[in-house]
Amino acid sequence: MGLSSIFGGSAPSQQQTVNSGSGSNLSGGVTGKVKSQISQELAVANATELVNKVTENCFEKCLHSPYTDRNEPCVDQCLIKYMRSWNIVSKAYISRIQQASTSGEI
């Protein structure tokens, strides 16, 4: 089971191929499926990036050998701050994409 199936993507055996036979265009259903698959893959990539950055920033900052209970508040606060910042940046990014989409820039 791959990450894409955990986050809602389909397994390779369930994916459909697109036949670009004699001048046929992609139908709306296939286009929607492709867009959905891209969205799911982007969500997985973003989640992976978030986990990697949290690990780099919070755990390296807060965890010292040997592990003690005193490290937990530092990790908790770092995670809270990082997630809050990630959400703010994500919302701003999505808003800009939506504005560009409605104005025809994309």
Side-chain angles (χ1 to χ4, degrees):
M1 175 186 307
L3 281 179
S4 62
S5 61
I6 292 172
F7 289 99
S10 60
S13 62
Q14 296 173 335
Q15 294 176 348
Q16 296 179 351
T17 58
V18 176
N19 184 0
S20 58
S22 59
S24 65
N25 293 329
L26 292 176
S27 69
V30 173
T31 303
K33 289 179 184 179
V34 170
K35 286 182 180 180
S36 175
Q37 182 67 28
I38 290 170
S39 293
Q40 290 171 0
E41 289 177 11
L42 285 172
V44 170
N46 283 333
T48 301
E49 181 70 16
L50 176 62
V51 169
N52 289 337
K53 290 296 181 183
V54 164
T55 300
E56 287 176 24
N57 295 323
C58 295
F59 287 97
E60 289 178 6
K61 174 186 172 193
C62 296
L63 297 181
H64 309 284
S65 284
Y67 176 78
T68 64
D69 288 339
R70 289 182 286 149
N71 299 123
E72 285 186 34
C74 178
V75 173
D76 289 343
Q77 289 300 313
C78 184
L79 289 171
I80 289 168
K81 288 177 185 177
Y82 202 87
M83 292 297 294
R84 187 180 307 134
S85 299
W86 183 274
N87 287 334
I88 290 169
V89 169
S90 295
K91 286 178 185 177
Y93 180 70
I94 289 169
S95 174
R96 286 186 181 183
I97 289 175
Q98 288 174 342
Q99 287 174 351
S101 177
T102 57
S103 68
E105 294 177 30
I106 296 180

